[in-house]
Amino acid sequence: MYGKATLSLVFALLIVLLLISYSILMGTVNFRSYFLPLLQSPATAHPLCATNPPLRVYMYDLPRRFNVGMLNLRNLEQTPVTDRNWPSWPKNSGLKRQHSAEYWMMGSLLYEGDGAEERDAVRVSDPEMADIFFVPFFSSLSFNTHGHVMTDPETEIDHQLQIDLVKFLLQSKYWQQSGGGDHVIPMTHPNAFRFLREQVNASIQIVVDFGRHPRTMSNISKDVVAPYVHIVDSFTDDDSTDPFESRTTLLFFRGRTSRKDEGIVRVKLAKILAAYDDVHYERSVATDENIKVVFSTNLRYAFILSPV
């Protein structure tokens, strides 16, 4: 029943997320300058995954505490979020940035400026017209903000937000109609929504992998796999006419080489890459200082891969 809408959503969201992950400026957000280039295309170009008509998305109007209120806990503003009062993503957010797809997805739906009508997914104000429903709960930011050590007393805040959200959804006429099967919930942190995930399992979840959940809960048949948002800014100041060719080393790898399940995939990757002279492979961890080092290497390497 929801196959066509799900497929359209996969295309539409991944276009946005891939473009965002390629180049994000984390300063003051100017919706016109940021989103307009993503929405425009040359007159002769054909959209890679255009939906005709565009996917119609209804976004629930949740209180700020479920989303942008977590960006600045000192700000007690409660007015509805629009593209005019949309807060910028914090500059010094560290690793939280890699899970910020939920922020950019909500922002793209709020955007109403020039070129908005050319998008593959558009927001509708009437839920009866919607192909799909977006739940703007920043579940990853909630985990990172409210007791990410998992033993902090603040963890209860994250738990309560999930309780309140599930209660809200279960009372929704549209959730009841589909059992949640046409609802989209971002969960890009592996521990996002960890308390009540089973209760929203029928929804389409935006994830980055399936490593910590059984196949019955999270799988590629219903969920959307999105890339992490870059935590290192793109380098745009090359003075060479062909900056790619001027870089002498093919790949720079700096990150964790062993993680879940003893890092089986990464161990195999290390063995493969070790055979090449033009690959720099180094074991490391993600810290603010190491992230700066990665950025400083941009001039020498054609590709940078630094998994945390």
Side-chain angles (χ1 to χ4, degrees):
M1 179 176 179
Y2 301 109
K4 181 179 180 181
T6 302
L7 184 60
S8 298
L9 179 72
V10 170
F11 285 137
L13 292 181
L14 286 184
I15 288 173
V16 174
L17 290 174
L18 287 169
L19 287 170
I20 288 170
S21 66
Y22 174 75
S23 177
I24 285 180
L25 300 178
M26 290 296 177
T28 301
V29 175
N30 180 309
F31 271 81
R32 179 179 178 82
S33 64
Y34 182 75
F35 285 108
L36 184 56
L38 301 185
L39 304 177
Q40 290 180 325
S41 59
T44 57
H46 297 282
L48 293 177
C49 302
T51 55
N52 188 21
L55 189 70
R56 296 167 298 182
V57 183
Y58 178 81
M59 180 165 60
Y60 284 105
D61 185 17
L62 296 178
R64 282 174 173 249
R65 64 191 178 96
F66 287 98
N67 40 68
V68 296
M70 288 181 273
L71 294 173
N72 182 357
L73 297 178
R74 296 180 181 180
N75 187 348
L76 303 180
E77 179 66 55
Q78 295 299 323
T79 57
V81 185
T82 68
D83 62 345
R84 295 188 178 184
N85 62 5
W86 181 252
S88 61
W89 182 264
K91 291 182 178 180
N92 300 317
S93 59
L95 292 177
K96 291 181 183 179
R97 188 197 301 189
Q98 69 180 346
H99 302 118
S100 63
E102 54 200 11
Y103 165 89
W104 296 101
M105 289 172 68
M106 182 179 180
S108 68
L109 288 175
L110 285 172
Y111 179 72
E112 298 178 349
D114 296 339
E117 67 281 355
E118 300 175 14
R119 288 184 294 178
D120 294 289
V122 296
R123 185 186 183 190
V124 294
S125 58
D126 182 358
E128 295 292 339
M129 297 178 58
D131 299 313
I132 212 149
F133 296 79
F134 180 70
V135 182
F137 172 43
F138 292 178
S139 61
S140 297
L141 186 58
S142 179
F143 173 76
N144 280 324
T145 302
H146 301 307
H148 67 278
V149 182
M150 295 191 185
T151 57
D152 293 350
E154 290 181 349
T155 298
E156 184 56 33
I157 299 177
D158 182 32
H159 189 189
Q160 188 61 51
L161 284 172
Q162 294 172 42
I163 292 174
D164 294 344
L165 182 67
V166 169
K167 181 179 179 180
F168 171 84
L169 291 174
L170 292 179
Q171 293 175 346
S172 166
K173 165 186 174 182
Y174 303 99
W175 178 278
Q176 294 173 12
Q177 286 179 348
S178 67
D182 56 359
H183 282 56
V184 179
I185 307 178
M187 299 184 186
T188 54
H189 193 291
N191 292 318
F193 226 113
R194 66 190 183 93
F195 293 106
L196 301 179
R197 190 159 181 162
E198 289 186 6
Q199 296 193 34
V200 294
N201 187 42
S203 65
I204 303 168
Q205 298 166 9
I206 309 299
V207 299
V208 293
D209 61 50
F210 302 118
R212 301 188 186 183
H213 305 285
R215 294 179 182 178
T216 55
M217 181 179 295
S218 187
N219 58 77
I220 201 167
S221 66
K222 73 177 185 69
D223 299 324
V224 177
V225 180
Y228 278 124
V229 174
H230 288 177
I231 58 175
V232 178
D233 291 332
S234 297
F235 187 80
T236 58
D237 294 332
D238 279 313
D239 17 4
S240 170
T241 55
D242 193 340
F244 183 82
E245 290 297 330
S246 68
R247 299 181 182 185
T248 56
T249 302
L250 176 65
L251 175 66
F252 177 89
F253 181 104
R254 194 172 202 260
R256 297 194 181 207
T257 56
S258 178
R259 288 203 71 183
K260 304 301 177 183
D261 296 326
E262 299 180 353
I264 295 175
V265 174
R266 297 191 184 194
V267 169
K268 290 183 178 180
L269 180 63
K271 291 180 179 179
I272 294 173
L273 296 178
Y276 294 90
D277 294 333
D278 56 350
V279 172
H280 177 95
Y281 193 94
E282 178 183 351
R283 177 182 299 178
S284 183
V285 293
T287 64
D288 290 341
E289 188 60 34
N290 285 339
I291 290 173
K292 292 178 182 177
V293 171
V294 172
F295 181 73
S296 69
T297 67
N298 270 339
L299 288 176
R300 300 194 302 274
Y301 300 93
F303 297 102
I304 305 289
L305 179 61
S306 297
V308 296

